[in-house]
Amino acid sequence: MKPTRKPIHPWPVRLTHWLNALAIVMMIGSGWQIYDASPLFGFRFPPLITIGGWLGAAIAWHLAFMWLLVVNGLVYFTYSAATGHFRKFFPLSPRAVWQDFRAALRFRLPHEKGVYNAIQRLLYLGVLAAGVVIVLSGLAIWKPVQLWFLCDLMDGYRIARYVHFFAMAVIVSFTCIHVLLVALVPKVLPPMLTGGRQEP
Amino acid sequence: MSPIQRRALLMRALALGAATTLPGCNYEDPNHPDLADDFLHAMSYWNDRVQQALFDPHTLAPTFRPDQITNPPRFNAFYSISQAPVVDPATYRLQLGGQIRDQTPWTLAALNALPQTSQITRLVCVEGWRVIGQWSGVPLSDFLRRVGADTTCRYVSFQCADGYYSSIDMESALQPQTILALQFLGAPLTPPFGAPVRLRIPTKLGFKNPKSIVQLAVTNVYPGGYWEDQGYNWFSGS
Ligand code: HEM
């Protein structure tokens, strides 16, 4: 019998990744609808790209899918901490990011199966941090009285709303770049679906 | 824009963009729930229970300085400001119902004669905006005890002069900052802002602060509410 090779992406990472993608779409679509009820800036999101149709339904979607986002996120963090999965994001140095960035501009970024380049490491760590911030600021605006310490941490309700918005902007920007990079290097997609097998 | 106007507008926009919206988002029509509605209702019920567990009667809502008060306050209702009900303070009676021993209606003068408290607190609207105001009135817990309400019941419900209605959980009703407000900034409430009696409950969202209350009842039967019955989360705690 041939020794089985380790998958490029273990199934808990794949499962949480795609559940997270679903949760993010639902949270952002409904979040934009909620934003439209009382915009922070001089624009509204067009109803065509929002979820819910009206404020009451948007809030219901938002507060329903926040559970998927949070529980799924906790599973991912626990799994990654327990198995050392986070080691895939390190080491990470500004030099390596700069080198890989220049290589990427010349479309010469190496893609070894199962190894993230410095740009990916930076982007993934960045979006995971934004994920933590968006959950904490979301809880702060949901429960400014009972979770007052979170609201204080965000310097009050007013600021917490801006923090929540900017974390959303970071995640949306990440997702655009992320999906663009996958489209440019489509061979990375099948392993994220099926697991793939590392080179012997 | 009032929530109703906004909703009408969004419904029209929704009709245009129907192809891109999720199927089964007619959270609109409570009499014909589809799968999405059932899912959202179940999650909203779960969120009620989580909020009930999270609620700590000893955690007070933040209070503010007089110079932070939003003046003039911001009007919000399901109708425009000119349509706000005008209740004659002379003939006004607060009717009591449900599990309350002494159901004698209360005049405004009698309510004003009770010990009053004052608070400068923030009202946070479900839409995301907020105002700071100074309200004074009778602590609801004092009032409920005085009229012999059964405080082991689950709900306190409110009927308003404009047809609005809402209800809160007993634990929140007994929280010390929950008051039957009679005054704003030291003067009697004015019609658009809840005259003659409104609920002020800084541990819940704005729409859980019914205005121009004409009936208060204590019950174990879930009373719902004007917005709650349309899909807003019932507990809506802050
Ligand atoms: C339809 C949209 C998406 C597609 C097609 C997609 C695709 C992928 C692929 C192919 C990888 C593996 C990359 C590689 O092996 O080089 C990956 C990893 C990752 N993606 Fe996505 N993704 C999507 C949405 C998202 C969203 C919305 C987020 C977060 C907001 C996200 C966060 C991540 C993270 C953190 C990783 C690294 C996972 C790990 O190893 O722990 N993705 N994605």
Side-chain angles (χ1 to χ4, degrees), chain A residues 8-9 13 17-18 20-22 24-25 76 80 85-86 88-89 111-112 114-116 120 123-125 127-128 171-172 174-175 178-179 182 185-186 188-193:
Chain A
I8 295 173
H9 299 296
V13 170
H17 176 267
W18 294 114
N20 181 63
L22 170 71
I24 291 284
V25 167
Y76 172 82
S80 301
H85 173 71
F86 281 142
K88 282 187 87 174
F89 302 144
H111 269 282
E112 252 178 89
V115 180
Y116 293 145
Q120 280 178 300
L123 287 174
Y124 295 158
L125 286 171
V127 79
L128 292 178
I171 292 175
V172 170
F174 162 86
T175 307
H178 181 59
V179 173
V182 173
V185 192
V188 299
L189 184 55
M192 200 52 173
L193 295 164

Side-chain angles (χ1 to χ4, degrees), chain A residues 56-72:
Chain A
I59 294 175
W61 283 111
H62 209 67
L63 298 187
F65 271 86
M66 75 176 178
W67 291 101
L68 177 63
L69 184 78
V70 168
V71 172
N72 185 62

Side-chain angles (χ1 to χ4, degrees), chain B residues 106-161:
Chain B
W106 284 69
T107 64
L108 199 52
L111 286 170
N112 272 307
L114 293 175
Q116 313 275 312
T117 74
S118 182
Q119 58 174 261
I120 302 179
T121 49
R122 180 175 55 196
L123 185 146
V124 178
C125 179
V126 68
E127 296 174 334
W129 52 267
R130 63 250 159 236
V131 290
I132 293 171
Q134 183 189 43
W135 289 271
S136 20
V138 184
L140 184 58
S141 58
D142 287 0
F143 184 78
L144 290 175
R145 278 189 203 103
R146 190 176 290 265
V147 297
D150 178 357
T151 52
T152 63
C153 284
R154 294 173 64 184
Y155 310 106
V156 181
S157 76
F158 304 91
Q159 300 279 339
C160 306

